[in-house]
Amino acid sequence: RRRALTTPALLRSFFGLPLVSLKVMAAIHWEALRLWLKGARLVPHPDAAGQRSDETILARGKSRPYII
């Protein structure tokens, strides 16, 4: 449902679900721990020649700007 983006609406959302961010963060760390226990390791990738730092490389080798 769409609602107006007002201060009371934002406060209601924030206090209505206070632990959602912590739950997501805990779930990410839990999965990382499980992968680490299974022996998964990070694979370093060499920097692509001529690639700017604000671009990402897609699986097919095409690049697109990374917008924050």
Side-chain angles (χ1 to χ4, degrees):
R1 250 175 30 198
R2 295 180 91 170
R3 288 185 241 166
L5 189 61
T6 62
T7 300
L10 289 173
L11 289 173
R12 206 170 20 255
S13 294
F14 179 73
F15 289 111
L17 301 168
L19 300 178
V20 171
S21 296
L22 292 176
K23 179 183 174 186
V24 170
M25 191 171 64
I28 290 171
H29 282 82
W30 174 249
E31 290 300 323
L33 176 65
R34 289 180 60 206
L35 287 170
W36 181 72
L37 291 174
K38 287 182 180 181
R41 298 287 179 243
L42 292 175
V43 178
H45 295 282
D47 291 336
Q51 179 187 0
R52 295 190 335 228
S53 63
D54 62 342
E55 291 183 352
T56 58
I57 299 296
L58 301 178
R60 294 185 192 127
K62 298 178 182 177
S63 65
R64 67 175 177 198
Y66 181 73
I67 300 172
I68 297 175

